[in-house]
Amino acid sequence: MKMLMILTSHDQLGDTGKKTGFWLEEFAAPYYVFKDAGAQITVASPHGGKPPLDPKSDDPSAQTDATQRFKNDPAAQAVLANTQRLKEVSAADFDAVFYPGGHGPLWDLAEDSTSVALIEAMFAAGKPVAAVCHAPGVLRHVKSADGKPLVQGKSVTGFTNTEEEAVGLTKVVPFLVEDMLKKNGSNYSKADDWQPYVVSDGLLITGQNPASSEPTAKALLKILG
């Protein structure tokens, strides 16, 4: 089983002067779900190399068993420090793709034509795509074979407007994940803020927030059988 994980390369939180990037739990938890299942994991990002970590995801309050395991795992740290350039990976080489969140993807991966083409190629080949928290934002410009938004008519979830409001970034982000998914015609649903919630619809699996990262990864494995 060959798994591709795609992380953001974007580290600026709008024009606030603060840093962003990917959310550690949303990488670490799925990484170990896949690794413990025996998957070969490739990690890629638009710029390659070491992707930026959202500093808030490194706070003591945000730590989980998976992030602690990662911090004691030099091999996993080496994988993260040497991500491949997104342009150098091909959908044909993988069985599935997983997008961890953090705010970074809203700026780069959501608008990245290489990422869009990769997701479209995965769907065309009948391969599953999963995204958690802010990462469903990467589906913003992805189209189905008929040219309509990929999420149109599909059941999805993603970081909620109220969760964004709670972290005080409603006016900072380029778009709100919940609003975008609804605007693109999806059947968007959500659980209470910060509760784990995963929606699977055919080849598309989405999770609502950081607490949803491990169950989203497990839902992806289930589809792969």
Side-chain angles (χ1 to χ4, degrees):
M1 178 169 50
K2 293 183 175 178
M3 192 71 65
L4 177 62
M5 297 183 76
I6 299 178
L7 293 168
T8 181
S9 292
H10 184 86
D11 70 350
Q12 295 297 315
L13 193 58
D15 52 13
T16 63
K18 294 176 179 170
K19 293 289 189 184
T20 190
F22 73 94
W23 198 262
L24 184 56
E25 158 71 6
E26 295 170 30
F27 169 74
Y31 178 86
Y32 288 117
V33 168
F34 303 145
K35 187 169 178 59
D36 294 346
Q40 280 180 262
I41 305 166
T42 298
V43 186
S45 61
H47 295 168
K50 189 173 184 178
L53 175 68
D54 187 311
K56 288 201 167 168
S57 73
D58 221 10
D59 283 350
S61 63
Q63 300 318 297
T64 64
D65 290 348
T67 64
Q68 296 295 353
R69 182 176 171 187
F70 175 77
K71 288 179 178 182
N72 294 310
D73 185 348
Q77 291 169 29
V79 169
L80 184 66
N82 296 284
T83 69
Q84 293 191 24
R85 281 173 61 91
L86 183 53
K87 283 186 172 164
E88 292 166 4
V89 299
S90 167
D93 296 333
F94 300 96
D95 298 308
V97 62
F98 189 99
Y99 283 81
H103 283 88
L106 299 185
W107 278 274
D108 64 353
L109 290 168
E111 307 300 328
D112 189 302
S113 58
T114 303
S115 174
V116 169
L118 183 135
I119 296 170
E120 290 174 349
M122 295 294 287
F123 269 90
K127 297 174 179 181
V129 174
V132 69
C133 198
H134 285 88
V138 306
L139 303 169
R140 187 180 194 186
H141 300 299
V142 179
K143 300 282 195 284
S144 298
D146 60 7
K148 293 175 181 168
L150 179 76
V151 299
Q152 188 172 318
K154 286 191 170 63
S155 296
V156 296
T157 190
F159 205 60
T160 68
N161 290 353
T162 47
E163 286 168 329
E164 199 68 81
E165 200 173 308
V167 297
L169 295 173
T170 302
K171 299 284 196 289
V172 174
V173 293
F175 63 93
L176 295 169
V177 174
E178 177 180 337
D179 284 356
M180 179 279 291
L181 291 169
K182 289 176 175 174
K183 185 181 169 192
N184 278 4
S186 73
N187 300 318
Y188 177 90
S189 62
K190 59 188 175 182
D192 290 340
D193 289 358
W194 315 115
Q195 295 305 302
Y197 185 65
V198 179
V199 175
S200 294
D201 188 330
L203 297 171
L204 184 62
I205 305 120
T206 46
Q208 181 176 317
N209 47 33
S212 310
S213 50
E214 185 172 314
T216 301
K218 288 179 174 174
L220 178 56
L221 280 188
K222 195 173 174 184
I223 285 182
L224 290 171

